Amino acid sequence: MSAVTSASLCWTLLPVCLLLVSAEQKNITAECGQNVTLTCRAPNNNTITGVEWSRADLEPEYLLVYRDGQFVPDNQHPSFKNRVDLQDRRMKDGDVSVILKDVTVNDAGTYECRVVQRGTNRWKRANLKTAPISIITLRVVAPPPDQKNITAETGETVTLTCRAPNSKSTDVVNWSRADLGEEYVLLYRDGHFDTDNQHPSFKNRVDLQDRQMKDGDVSVILKNVMINDTGTYECRIFMSGTNEFVSIIYLRVVDPPPEQKNITAESGQNVTLTCRAPNNKNGNITVVKWSRADLKPQYVLLYRNGHFDSEHQHPSFKNRVDLQDRQMKDGDVSVILKNVTINDTGTYECHVVQRGTNNDPSIIYLRVVAPPPDQKNITAESGQNVTLTCRAPNHSIDIVEWSRADLKSQHVFVCWDGQVLPEEQHPSFKNRVDLQDRQMKDGDVSVSLKNVTFNDAGTYECRVQSEDDSVELISIIYLRVVVPPGSGGGTTEDGGKEEGGKEDRGSVGLIVGLSVAAVFLVAAAVFVIYRKQDKKSQTVV
């Protein structure tokens, strides 16, 4: 063909030549379930009268057909119905791109875009035979596997989640674990469960969460999990000849945490922290460790190789803790903690090592509280010295306060950091009250009150504050002051006069004297009357 002839032909088919030269080629990769835009733009602003999007391997081959302002669904492949539309139905600036929704592996292929514009090609048949202006190769892949980590305790029921990327009919569901070889956790195909190829350890323990697999849900429920169920589980789904690797789950199965016990004790008491090993046949307990996290690296008690290790014992527990049974009969490794204090509060762990095993720890939370206030009644005679007793639960004492409610803001006695504060003291107690032991040995904060009077009667309260603690009420004492026996009367604790005083005895003497005189007068009157009667009798005779 001559050059002139070729030029003439190309001029005649100018629009086709231009479209062939300017065809845009792209490669797109998308994941199943995503929406994809296939881009295409007409080369000029002439009115667009026709658009075709096609894929050669389809029958019919069309993704979308648009003619004379209308869509033509008759020539559209069924798989694209209701899934594809123009990005801009007004096709502004020649934009004839389409949006393909919810792509699947079956949408992979090469798509071609052709257009007809007014003044260029005409529709000759049902389709355009012009060259495409855009060629796009679409690759659709399964999304990366959903990777999850699950931790469960033995005996629990676990759900391993997996969902297909679309709701198409699922032909095969395959749950596997690499270490099981050719056997499966669960295999479902052709509408039935394949138990012949299921690993024996999962028989009757695993099932689909929804046997209808609604919305692509192929999650499984694994019952009564065991330590041996730990591993990586893979979910694969086969749909219409495809193999989609959907979900990876790492399941970790652990023993439940040891049961924790809570114990409350009063300071000064002895406490038993219980712990028992599974057995102690033939003395197979080699190590017993009682610990408290805040004491590390030292221990409450450490026993190993038949001996107690006192070098690694915390000083505060020396000579205060021992095994309840040194023979550890029946695996009993409980300990007795003597004379507990507030500082013994904490979480204790018991670890036992037996030949060939390392048992789970036993955990005990010990709370030590001050005992309820010690309430006493004391009766003293005026003039005596009295001891008001009080003992703190521990020996680290910052503040001691002795008070009496009727004194209001003033105190009987106050000592801060070893210093007595007389300015805080009520005047009536100055130089009359002091600690029984200024060293406060063993927590003794008793006070001596000298030369008590009736005005000292009342209810006394002893409060103590130790390091990092609030002020605690330790002791309550009611003091009653009375007159000594055999004294000549006096004022009672209520301020009245004591019965049996001098005034009372004088009154009694006066009454007795008058009574005696009256008796004598009566006797004399009777005598006089008798004499008169006797004389009258003698005269008559």
Side-chain angles (χ1 to χ4, degrees), residues 145-147 160-162 173-180 184-186 218 220 231-237 244-251:
D146 179 24
Q147 299 190 34
L160 307 178
T161 57
C162 183
V173 178
N174 168 342
W175 276 94
S176 60
R177 208 175 77 197
D179 59 304
L180 301 179
Y184 297 95
V185 176
L186 178 142
V218 292
V220 294
T232 301
Y233 293 76
E234 297 178 353
C235 169
R236 286 182 172 84
I237 300 172
E244 298 193 8
F245 188 39
V246 179
S247 183
I248 298 176
I249 297 178
Y250 176 72
L251 173 64

Side-chain angles (χ1 to χ4, degrees), residues 54-62 77 80 105-111:
S54 60
R55 203 176 90 197
D57 61 306
L58 297 177
E59 183 59 42
E61 63 182 292
Y62 297 106
H77 191 277
F80 295 106
V105 175
N106 295 329
D107 292 328
T110 301
Y111 293 81

